[in-house]
Amino acid sequence: MAAKKQESNSKPKKRNRNPDANTNPDSSSFKKPKHVSSKPENKPVEKVFKPFKKTFGKVKSLSGEEKKTPLSKRERRIHAKELTEARKKRRKQHYTLEQELARLWEKMRQRNIAKEERSKIITEAIQKMKGKIPEIASSHVSSRVLQTCVKYCSQTERDAVFDELKPHFLTFASNKYAIHLVTKMLDNASKKQLAEFISPLRGHVASLLRHTVGSVVIEHAYQLGNATKKQELLMELYSTELQLFKDLASMKESRLVDVISKLNLQKGSVSRYMASVIQPILEKGIVDHTIIHKVLIEYLSIADKTSAAEIIQQFSGPLLVRMIHTRDGSRIGILCVKHGSAKERKKIVKGLKGTVGKTAHFQYGSLVLACIVSTVDDTKLVAKTVIRELQTILKELVLDKNGRRPLLQLLNPNCTRYFSPDEMASLSLSISSLNAMGELEVNRETKSLKDEESSDKDNSGRDVTMAEADGSASSETLQLVEGGKKDPSIRRQELLVGSGLAKNLIDMCSENAEELLRSNFGKEVLYEAATGGSGGILQQTLGDELNALHEAIASVAAESKSEGSEKEHVLENFHSSRTIRKLVLDNPAFAATLWKKALSGKCEQWAQGHSSKVICAFLESSDAMVSKLAKEELQPLINRGILKLPEKKQPANEG
């Protein structure tokens, strides 16, 4: 029975047909649903997109009834503007005043306006703002009006604005609109007003430096303050005692090490407090300000080995590029390059990618590049990242005071002619806590070099070459204790010759010999390139190119002397004549080329003025042949009194 029941249930039931369906042939053939409702079916209707809702205005008809008519586009725009104005008036307390000030600002900020007219408008604006300046200074409109007023108003009006803002300086220091007004007030403040502004910052320097906007105000005050005010701002970042007690902060000692020794402060406590101040600032990436660079330098002077290594690790990358434009920032960069590991140096060099040319033009950024080319052992990476970018702008760098420094560091390392005493001190900086480790590594390397020398001496007989390499490395390694492990002469050879920099530099000097000779800065690069660099590093592999450079310089000097020309001859120009004289004294090959091509038989016309110093230099040439030829031609000129030599350099007259 159950099986039969299941079979009956599984069979599909046939729907009963409508008996009228067959009788009516014109009826449709589709099936009707089971349940047909008496209500009409609701079919979906496609809605037409309406871009805006029409606004209707009320218009009275003749019968007195009100009819709604749609507004035009202009009327809708006016209506929306009225609604916006009403909303702003409800939201902003001084909205009407700001609108009036904006209209006055459009007049006062014009460049072609008369001073009397501008003063009249500024006075009117200040009168409208009187008593409300602290309330409207945070607005992006009113702050701009106040900046223009402070810039062009009289001193009395400026003092009135300063007095109103003085109680609120600390609040405005962290406002993104009011900050511009504060910095403008500082630029135009007197010494007394500047002191009144800096005093409320006491106790808040560290917190403001952690603020993206507030740090700008602290930096501005630090730049404008004198040495005493700068010291007050810095002392607050050193220790809690110096922050609480004002008398301790007012002292003559500027270095943190001296402050600790004088006040008997605990070095570890000061280091921990400074770390708690510095770390949040670095985590936020606020590293562009000089006050932060100064604090970091002082911190590295007392930090232990672990703390100093952490700071170096944090700056190993693109973050360092934002710091090296200042004196202390470049020193931090130099310390990171010298004390960083090979991996950290690699990050620093890669972080400079794309900014090498710009960095080379900075006074302090060029020092970091000079440190990199004389320290980093990975010469392939340096050549790919640094040297390649320098090669694209060689002429521009050679003619620039700062841009030529990385090139001069490679041609003649650590030369005092090209680096000032302060810059040499920056290049020789080191961290005391990491210095001992560096000395141990250098002593270990020196010992291994000596062992290799003795083994080479016993086995292969190459004792002379190894002794020369060891002698050249020992002096430079002692000078830069924290430098790389590679021999400095090998590093220079790979960066100068191996990368193709030297060849491109010599070719550029040959093409622009006259311009470089007359240049105050280019003449020094030309001199170093023409002499083959320190130790004659270029003479072994680029002898033909150097001879071509000597020929190019001699060709410029061999040009005829024209009296009507406005341009001085290179032998009579101040800069070029001294450069040629130095080349004659220091490079016998150039002296011989110049004598044969430009001066032989023509010395009488160059016996006066700056050119006489070039001719006299041939008598002191180390090349005996050139000196003999020059003496034969110059001695008659000396006897006739045409050519005058300095008293110490006059040769004995061979009667």
Side-chain angles (χ1 to χ4, degrees):
M1 290 294 289
K4 287 181 181 180
K5 199 170 186 178
Q6 281 183 354
E7 288 175 5
S8 61
N9 292 338
S10 63
K11 289 180 181 179
K13 293 181 179 181
K14 293 183 178 180
R15 186 178 293 176
N16 296 328
R17 290 185 177 182
N18 190 1
D20 300 332
N22 297 328
T23 57
N24 189 5
D26 298 332
S27 63
S28 60
S29 61
F30 67 88
K31 297 177 181 179
K32 291 184 179 180
K34 282 185 179 181
H35 305 286
V36 180
S37 60
S38 59
K39 296 181 181 180
E41 294 181 3
N42 296 326
K43 295 182 180 180
V45 181
E46 294 183 0
K47 294 183 179 180
V48 181
F49 173 73
K50 296 179 181 180
F52 54 85
K53 187 177 180 181
K54 288 187 177 182
T55 309
F56 295 89
K58 294 180 180 180
V59 180
K60 283 189 177 182
S61 62
L62 294 174
S63 59
E65 296 178 357
E66 290 184 353
K67 293 183 179 180
K68 293 183 178 180
T69 57
L71 298 176
S72 64
K73 287 185 178 180
R74 182 174 179 276
E75 290 171 339
R76 286 198 301 271
R77 190 164 57 249
I78 294 171
H79 180 67
K81 191 173 181 180
E82 289 173 355
L83 291 176
T84 306
E85 293 288 328
R87 186 169 61 251
K88 288 182 178 180
K89 285 180 182 178
R90 289 194 302 270
R91 192 176 61 194
K92 297 182 180 180
Q93 183 182 359
H94 302 286
Y95 179 73
T96 308
L97 176 61
E98 287 182 4
Q99 294 299 314
E100 295 175 4
L101 292 175
R103 284 191 289 271
L104 292 174
W105 183 54
E106 289 297 333
K107 297 177 183 178
M108 72 173 73
R109 73 192 185 107
Q110 294 177 5
R111 294 184 178 180
N112 56 354
I113 191 173
K115 289 185 178 180
E116 295 79 8
E117 184 68 20
R118 178 183 280 155
S119 300
K120 191 186 296 184
I121 297 171
I122 287 173
T123 305
E124 182 184 351
I126 291 176
Q127 288 297 324
K128 287 179 179 292
M129 291 184 289
K130 192 173 183 180
K132 305 170 187 175
I133 293 178
E135 300 172 12
I136 64 176
S138 300
S139 169
H140 71 284
V141 176
S142 305
S143 63
R144 286 174 169 82
V145 180
L146 279 166
Q147 289 174 56
T148 309
C149 290
V150 169
K151 183 178 180 180
Y152 295 110
C153 69
S154 62
Q155 187 62 41
T156 308
E157 292 171 333
R158 192 177 292 119
D159 293 341
V161 175
F162 185 88
D163 292 337
E164 276 199 57
L165 292 174
K166 186 164 61 175
H168 308 277
F169 271 143
L170 201 59
T171 307
F172 292 153
S174 55
N175 185 277
K176 64 179 180 179
Y177 296 123
I179 178 183
H180 304 293
L181 174 61
V182 172
T183 53
K184 184 66 71 175
M185 291 294 299
L186 288 175
D187 289 333
N188 295 278
S190 61
K191 290 184 179 179
K192 183 182 177 182
Q193 289 174 340
L194 185 62
E196 290 176 357
F197 172 79
I198 293 177
S199 57
L201 297 177
R202 186 167 189 80
H204 303 278
V205 176
S207 60
L208 285 173
L209 279 176
R210 291 193 294 268
H211 197 282
T212 310
V213 176
S215 60
V216 177
V217 177
I218 298 295
E219 170 67 10
H220 208 72
Y222 181 77
Q223 291 287 349
L224 295 174
N226 54 22
T228 307
K229 294 300 177 184
K230 286 182 179 179
Q231 191 69 5
E232 287 182 13
L233 294 172
L234 285 170
M235 287 290 187
E236 194 171 324
L237 305 172
Y238 292 161
S239 173
T240 50
E241 293 86 353
L242 298 173
Q243 181 180 354
L244 294 173
F245 303 105
K246 188 176 180 180
D247 297 337
L248 295 177
S250 57
M251 54 191 308
K252 294 180 180 179
E253 284 76 7
S254 58
R255 296 174 63 232
L256 180 57
V257 178
D258 299 334
V259 173
I260 291 173
S261 62
K262 185 173 182 179
L263 298 178
N264 295 324
L265 299 173
Q266 293 183 357
K267 190 176 179 180
S269 175
V270 174
S271 178
R272 285 191 297 273
Y273 178 78
M274 291 185 72
S276 66
V277 171
I278 291 170
Q279 283 303 326
I281 297 173
L282 298 184
E283 288 171 3
K284 289 192 174 184
I286 306 173
V287 295
D288 303 283
H289 307 312
T290 54
I291 185 172
I292 296 173
H293 303 168
K294 180 66 176 176
V295 172
L296 284 168
I297 279 287
E298 295 294 344
Y299 175 69
L300 289 174
S301 66
I302 64 165
D304 57 5
K305 179 180 172 182
T306 307
S307 302
E310 287 178 358
I311 293 293
I312 291 173
Q313 189 176 4
Q314 281 182 295
F315 284 116
S316 299
L319 198 65
L320 192 65
V321 180
R322 294 164 53 192
M323 301 178 60
I324 56 181
H325 61 281
T326 67
R327 179 173 176 266
D328 292 319
S330 67
R331 291 187 168 191
I332 294 170
I334 290 169
L335 291 174
C336 290
V337 172
K338 293 171 87 172
H339 291 286
S341 62
K343 187 176 180 181
E344 289 163 352
R345 289 174 182 171
K346 187 175 182 179
K347 289 181 180 179
I348 292 171
V349 174
K350 283 188 173 182
L352 288 168
K353 189 175 182 179
T355 62
V356 174
K358 186 178 179 181
T359 304
H361 286 86
F362 291 150
Q363 179 184 358
Y364 299 110
S366 59
L367 295 179
V368 179
L369 292 179
C371 180
I372 287 173
V373 298
S374 58
T375 306
V376 179
D377 290 335
D378 192 351
T379 52
K380 288 186 178 179
L381 177 65
V382 176
K384 184 179 178 181
T385 307
V386 179
I387 303 298
R388 185 180 294 178
E389 287 193 40
L390 295 180
Q391 284 181 336
T392 57
I393 51 171
L394 265 182
K395 184 180 177 182
E396 183 182 342
L397 292 174
V398 168
L399 295 172
D400 186 70
K401 180 182 179 182
N402 302 318
R404 65 201 173 110
R405 286 176 175 174
L407 304 175
L408 290 171
Q409 179 70 3
L410 285 171
L411 291 168
N412 194 353
N414 302 320
C415 181
T416 54
R417 287 202 307 267
Y418 311 129
F419 295 97
S420 66
D422 183 67
E423 291 165 349
M424 290 298 296
S426 297
L427 289 171
S428 60
L429 275 177
S430 62
I431 301 174
S432 57
S433 58
L434 299 175
N435 199 20
M437 180 177 63
E439 287 177 355
L440 289 174
E441 289 181 359
V442 168
N443 291 335
R444 199 179 300 119
E445 291 169 14
T446 308
K447 185 178 179 182
S448 64
L449 278 173
K450 289 181 179 178
D451 294 341
E452 289 176 7
E453 179 188 357
S454 60
S455 63
D456 288 339
K457 197 171 183 179
D458 295 336
N459 299 329
S460 60
R462 290 178 293 174
D463 53 332
V464 177
T465 308
M466 285 303 299
E468 290 173 357
D470 185 51
S472 63
S474 61
S475 60
E476 295 196 22
T477 308
L478 291 175
Q479 189 176 2
L480 297 173
V481 173
E482 306 82 8
K485 298 178 181 179
K486 188 176 286 187
D487 188 348
S489 60
I490 297 175
R491 186 189 299 113
R492 285 179 62 211
Q493 182 76 18
E494 291 175 354
L495 290 177
L496 266 176
V497 182
S499 66
L501 174 64
K503 186 178 184 305
N504 293 336
L505 181 63
I506 293 173
D507 292 342
M508 189 275 299
C509 291
S510 300
E511 293 172 3
N512 305 277
E514 184 176 359
E515 184 179 356
L516 296 180
L517 281 170
R518 297 178 186 276
S519 170
N520 190 18
F521 304 120
K523 62 185 178 65
E524 295 174 344
V525 180
L526 179 68
Y527 166 78
E528 292 293 344
T531 54
S534 176
I537 192 170
L538 306 181
Q539 292 176 354
Q540 297 176 357
T541 55
L542 298 171
D544 295 338
E545 286 80 0
L546 289 175
N547 292 334
L549 177 58
H550 297 164
E551 290 283 343
I553 299 172
S555 299
V556 175
E559 292 179 0
S560 59
K561 181 180 179 182
S562 55
E563 297 180 358
S565 177
E566 296 179 358
K567 188 186 293 185
E568 284 184 313
H569 195 276
V570 290
L571 293 176
E572 295 179 334
N573 181 267
F574 178 83
H575 296 296
S576 56
S577 63
R578 277 153 177 75
T579 305
I580 295 172
R581 179 181 177 275
K582 281 173 63 180
L583 284 171
V584 170
L585 291 173
D586 299 338
N587 196 306
F590 172 77
T593 303
L594 180 65
W595 180 262
K596 292 176 183 177
K597 192 160 189 174
L599 296 176
S600 180
K602 305 175 185 178
C603 291
E604 187 172 352
Q605 62 176 327
W606 304 112
Q608 303 295 327
H610 293 302
S611 57
S612 63
K613 298 176 182 178
V614 178
I615 296 172
C616 294
F618 280 92
L619 297 174
E620 305 171 34
S621 175
S622 56
D623 191 341
M625 182 179 173
V626 174
S627 179
K628 185 178 180 181
L629 290 172
K631 196 171 184 180
E632 291 176 0
E633 186 171 342
L634 296 179
Q635 190 62 49
L637 299 177
I638 296 172
N639 296 337
R640 290 160 53 192
I642 298 174
L643 180 64
K644 294 183 179 180
L645 296 177
E647 294 181 1
K648 294 181 181 179
K649 297 179 181 179
Q650 284 183 353
N653 189 5
E654 296 177 4

